[in-house]
Amino acid sequence: MNPKLSARKGRFVEDYSSVVWDDYLDLRHRKLVSLEGCPQIVNGSFDCSHNNLASLKGCPQTISGSFDCSYNNLTSLKGCPQRIGVFNCKYNKLSVIEILKFLSTIKNIQMIFSDFDDTLLEKWCRSNKQKKIKMIFEEKFK
C-alpha cells in the first residue's frame, strides 16, 4: 500500500525516495517548489503539473507510464527520467534547444507534447532515425 504523501511549504514533509510507488502518483496543484524526497520509482503515471517547479531535481528516475510536468516554471529538463511513455512538458519556460538536448539523451519515449511547432523536432527525429517517437504539438490542435 502506498503511503499518503504530504507536503508543506512546497516541499515533502518526509523523504519518500526509497518508496516504490505502485500506482498513478498525482501531485498536481500542491504548490510544490521541489521534487526532492519524491519516490524514485513509479510503477504507473506521474503527474506533477500545475506547481511552482523550476527544476526536476528529485524527479522519479523510473516512470512506467506517462509523465506530466506541464504548467510549471521549468527552464531545463535535467533530472527527467530516461524512459517515459507519454511526456507532457507544455506551458513551461523551455526552449526548443533544451527539448532537443533532452531528446538526444533519452532512451525511450513514445510521445511528447510541447509548446513548439513540430518542424525542428520532426527534422531531428528523421535525422536521428528515432522511429519510436511520435511528436504531437500544440500547433496541430489549433
Side-chain angles (χ1 to χ4, degrees):
M1 185 169 164
N2 294 323
K4 181 173 175 14
L5 296 180
S6 58
R8 194 174 356 178
K9 295 184 181 177
R11 301 188 184 279
F12 290 105
V13 175
E14 295 179 41
D15 184 357
Y16 301 99
S17 58
S18 64
V19 172
V20 174
W21 195 267
D22 286 319
D23 202 356
Y24 169 64
L25 180 50
D26 183 3
L27 298 176
R28 294 174 296 164
H29 300 284
R30 300 275 186 108
K31 299 179 183 172
L32 292 174
V33 296
S34 172
L35 291 175
E36 291 182 70
C38 191
Q40 290 300 289
I41 298 173
V42 177
N43 292 323
S45 295
F46 179 72
D47 190 343
C48 61
S49 64
H50 297 87
N51 280 292
N52 299 313
L53 299 171
S55 158
L56 292 176
K57 184 176 180 183
C59 182
Q61 290 306 292
T62 302
I63 299 173
S64 65
S66 62
F67 174 42
D68 188 346
C69 60
S70 61
Y71 293 94
N72 277 290
N73 298 307
L74 300 174
T75 57
S76 167
L77 294 173
K78 186 176 180 181
C80 194
Q82 292 296 297
R83 296 180 190 277
I84 310 169
V86 175
F87 179 48
N88 184 356
C89 61
K90 291 169 65 171
Y91 307 109
N92 278 290
K93 298 175 181 177
L94 296 164
S95 69
V96 69
I97 300 299
E98 184 61 33
I99 292 174
L100 288 171
K101 281 192 320 190
F102 168 71
L103 289 173
S104 70
T105 64
I106 192 97
K107 291 180 175 60
N108 186 33
I109 187 169
Q110 294 171 355
M111 189 181 298
I112 182 169
F113 291 89
S114 169
D115 294 321
F116 298 101
D117 181 330
D118 59 359
T119 308
L120 279 176
L121 296 170
E122 280 186 17
K123 283 182 184 175
W124 179 87
C125 289
R126 279 195 303 273
S127 68
N128 287 286
K129 296 182 175 93
Q130 296 288 325
K131 293 179 183 174
K132 290 187 176 182
I133 299 177
K134 298 175 188 173
M135 297 290 170
I136 296 180
F137 297 92
E138 186 76 14
E139 194 69 25
K140 292 185 179 182
F141 294 103
K142 287 185 179 176

